[in-house]
């Protein structure tokens, strides 16, 4: 049985996922002390069913973020989600933050649009979502390098499946450094609020409840990690997938309305997050395996999204597939599992969709004949989160 913490698994998890689904759809993994679940039906149940809680985040997330919305349930969760969700949907997102997204994409692209070449991961994808978040929060763009360092440390902590003590210690240091940076700013915004997202979080109120300074700091930490890492990986993966399928790239270039379909298929085919943990509150059975209450369940999104019992020819990238509904792809009713499902569906899904649509459109405008650099062979990196390690491109600069 492949080991999810081995170098072989990291090199090609998709081959391992096939073995898991066919031979051991639920099995105990000693190294992570968790039940590993790989079939679509079981993973989707772990996300939807109220039996499965996020109590595991008490040890998995809280040490690095502080207590976040992901750990809450019931009315407490509903109220807290109601405080933060409005900024990430509908008119607020389109009217207030769309110009921020467009400005940040344009600034990054301007730096290479005349060059005829770009390494997309290092020169665009890694920086774009962090710059957007920093701008939305009304923080200092000059501190970008610090935010980049913090979010990289947080992601390493979350994906520390082997419990490397140095990685764990760096994550705890990040929590302290981010708190020292953010808490004084939050206090100032409470005294003198502006028109930014951070001020809105300070002023937001639902049913007489407001967020504490610590709540806001924890949400900012979560936003940097979840909002940065997923969009970073998704943009690079979108282009890697389209470049590997020239006919589909040509279709998207000709009809930009296909970008949401291409993004949805990218989320299914090469999701940015490959695994999420849950913890059942009572004994439960998945694929005939009894899982005791309080156990950790590692839900393999990357495996479930390629389950042949759910998707036809699942190892083929096809933005035109009929068994993936684009209209629901960025909501809690999504077919794919890249943003989880149910009450803990990613609150920033529409922000990610908007960033990817804006970024992809502007990149295609700047690089009308974009192609892989000669000799380039993109390789995915990562286990907990995964995406192209580098994506060297060439193009004829647009007039």
């Amino acid at each position: 049985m492949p080991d999810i913490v081995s170098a072989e698994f990291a090199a090609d998890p998709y081959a391992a996922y096939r073995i898991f689904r066919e031979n051991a759809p639920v099995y105990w993994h000693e190294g992570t002390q968790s039940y590993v679940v790989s079939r679509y039906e079981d993973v989707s149940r772990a996300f939807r069913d109220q039996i499965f809680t996020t109590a595991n985040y008490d040890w998995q997330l809280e040490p690095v973020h502080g207590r976040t919305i992901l750990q809450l349930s019931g009315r407490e969760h509903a109220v807290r989600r109601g405080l933060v969700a409005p900024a990430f949907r509908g008119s607020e997102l389109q009217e207030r933050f769309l110009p921020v997204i467009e400005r940040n994409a344009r600034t990054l692209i301007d730096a290479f649009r005349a060059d005829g070449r770009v390494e997309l991961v290092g020169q665009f994808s890694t920086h774009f979502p962090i710059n957007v978040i920093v701008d939305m929060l009304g923080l200092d763009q000059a501190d970008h390098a610090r935010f980049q360092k913090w979010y990289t440390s947080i992601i390493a902590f979350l994906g520390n499946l082997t419990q490397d003590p140095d990685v764990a210690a760096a994550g705890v240091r990040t929590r302290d450094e981010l708190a020292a940076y953010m808490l004084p700013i939050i206090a100032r915004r409470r005294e003198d609020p502006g028109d930014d997202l951070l001020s809105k979080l300070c002023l937001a109120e639902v049913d007489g409840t407001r967020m504490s300074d610590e709540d806001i700091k924890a949400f900012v930490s979560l936003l940097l990690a979840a909002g940065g890492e997923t969009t970073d990986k998704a943009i690079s993966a979108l282009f890697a997938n389209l470049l590997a399928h020239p006919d589909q790239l040509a279709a998207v270039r000709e009809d930009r309305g296909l970008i949401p379909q291409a993004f949805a298929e990218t989320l299914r085919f090469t999701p940015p997050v490959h695994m999420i943990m849950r913890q059942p509150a009572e004994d439960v059975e998945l694929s005939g395996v009894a899982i005791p209450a309080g156990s950790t369940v590692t839900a393999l999104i990357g495996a479930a999204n390629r389950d042949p019992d759910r998707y036809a020819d699942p190892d083929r990238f096809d933005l035109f597939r009929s068994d993936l509904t684009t209209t629901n792809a960025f909501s809690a009713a999504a077919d794919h599992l890249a943003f989880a499902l149910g009450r803990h569906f990613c609150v920033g899904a529409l922000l990610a969709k908007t960033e990817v649509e804006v970024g992809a459109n502007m990149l295609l405008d700047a690089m009308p004949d974009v192609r892989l650099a000669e000799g380039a062979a993109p390789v995915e990196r990562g286990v907990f989160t995964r995406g192209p390690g580098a994506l060297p491109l060439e193009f004829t600069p647009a007039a």
Side-chain angles (χ1 to χ4, degrees), residues 163-244:
Q163 298 299 303
D164 183 314
D166 292 336
V167 172
V172 173
R173 282 198 304 274
T174 292
R175 179 194 63 193
D176 295 339
E177 290 172 6
L178 184 60
Y181 178 93
M182 285 302 309
L183 291 174
I185 296 175
I186 293 168
R188 290 197 293 272
R189 295 294 164 87
R190 289 200 189 277
E191 292 294 322
D192 185 21
D195 197 33
D196 53 82
L197 175 59
L198 190 59
S199 296
K200 287 189 169 296
L201 294 174
C202 289
L203 298 173
E205 184 173 327
V206 171
D207 294 344
T209 299
R210 299 177 72 171
M211 296 174 74
S212 69
D213 291 5
E214 180 61 30
D215 290 337
I216 296 171
K217 186 274 298 178
F219 181 74
V220 169
S221 179
L222 181 65
L223 183 61
L224 283 170
E229 180 79 352
T230 54
T231 306
D232 164 5
K233 297 284 192 288
I235 291 173
S236 299
L238 170 67
F239 274 85
N241 288 331
L242 289 174
L243 287 160

Side-chain angles (χ1 to χ4, degrees), residues 249-261 361:
L249 174 59
V252 170
R253 186 184 289 119
E254 183 68 23
D255 179 5
R256 302 297 179 81
L258 292 174
I259 290 175
Q261 285 177 234
N361 268 300

Side-chain angles (χ1 to χ4, degrees), residues 1 14 90 289 358 365 381:
M1 186 67 62
Y14 301 107
V289 176
V358 168
D365 287 343
R381 305 288 186 198

Side-chain angles (χ1 to χ4, degrees), residues 45-46 49-56 73 278-286 291-297 343:
R45 183 183 172 195
D49 198 321
Q50 299 283 343
I51 289 174
F52 290 90
T53 75
T54 55
N56 53 287
S73 60
R278 289 289 188 262
Q279 187 171 307
E282 57 189 74
D283 294 351
V284 67
E285 186 175 293
L286 295 176
I291 299 176
S295 303
T296 299
V297 170
R343 65 191 184 284

Side-chain angles (χ1 to χ4, degrees), residues 43-321:
V43 173
S44 61
R45 183 183 172 195
F47 291 156
R48 290 182 189 275
D49 198 321
Q50 299 283 343
I51 289 174
F52 290 90
T53 75
T54 55
N56 53 287
Y57 287 154
D58 292 354
W59 55 265
Q60 191 183 13
L61 294 184
E62 190 166 340
V64 70
H65 285 311
R67 190 162 180 80
T68 71
I69 188 174
L70 296 180
Q71 295 165 260
L72 307 180
S73 60
R75 183 181 180 279
E76 187 181 14
H77 175 266
V79 169
R80 192 65 53 81
R81 192 175 178 97
L83 288 167
V84 301
F88 298 96
R89 66 187 182 212
S91 59
E92 182 79 6
L93 178 58
Q94 292 299 312
E95 295 171 11
R96 187 177 301 276
F97 297 126
L98 181 59
V100 173
I101 295 168
E102 292 172 337
R103 179 173 66 248
N104 279 283
R106 188 177 301 109
T107 298
L108 288 168
I109 293 171
D110 283 348
F112 61 78
R113 71 168 69 243
D115 296 345
R117 60 173 51 85
V118 62
E119 196 288 283
L120 194 69
V121 175
Q123 291 180 254
F124 185 82
S125 302
T126 301
H127 302 290
F128 177 42
I130 295 297
N131 286 356
V132 168
I133 290 167
V134 170
D135 222 353
M136 288 173 65
L137 291 166
L139 301 175
D140 190 347
Q141 285 271 10
D143 289 328
H144 170 87
R146 298 171 74 179
F147 286 108
Q148 199 79 36
K149 171 177 169 285
W150 288 333
Y151 121 79
T152 301
S153 174
I154 291 168
I155 292 299
F157 183 96
L158 300 181
N160 188 20
L161 299 180
T162 59
Q163 298 299 303
D164 183 314
D166 292 336
V167 172
V172 173
R173 282 198 304 274
T174 292
R175 179 194 63 193
D176 295 339
E177 290 172 6
L178 184 60
Y181 178 93
M182 285 302 309
L183 291 174
I185 296 175
I186 293 168
R188 290 197 293 272
R189 295 294 164 87
R190 289 200 189 277
E191 292 294 322
D192 185 21
D195 197 33
D196 53 82
L197 175 59
L198 190 59
S199 296
K200 287 189 169 296
L201 294 174
C202 289
L203 298 173
E205 184 173 327
V206 171
D207 294 344
T209 299
R210 299 177 72 171
M211 296 174 74
S212 69
D213 291 5
E214 180 61 30
D215 290 337
I216 296 171
K217 186 274 298 178
F219 181 74
V220 169
S221 179
L222 181 65
L223 183 61
L224 283 170
E229 180 79 352
T230 54
T231 306
D232 164 5
K233 297 284 192 288
I235 291 173
S236 299
L238 170 67
F239 274 85
N241 288 331
L242 289 174
L243 287 160
H245 300 81
D247 56 330
Q248 297 185 57
L249 174 59
V252 170
R253 186 184 289 119
E254 183 68 23
D255 179 5
R256 302 297 179 81
L258 292 174
I259 290 175
Q261 285 177 234
F263 182 31
E265 175 65 348
T266 291
L267 291 172
R268 183 201 68 81
F269 186 68
T270 49
V273 179
H274 271 235
M275 54 184 74
I276 289 179
M277 282 68 168
R278 289 289 188 262
Q279 187 171 307
E282 57 189 74
D283 294 351
V284 67
E285 186 175 293
L286 295 176
S287 286
V289 176
I291 299 176
S295 303
T296 299
V297 170
T298 297
L300 296 179
I301 294 171
N305 274 353
R306 293 200 185 193
D307 189 336
D309 288 340
R310 177 60 184 81
Y311 298 105
D313 199 2
D315 292 321
R316 177 172 58 90
F317 179 85
D318 180 11
L319 69 89
F320 298 108
R321 66 171 53 251

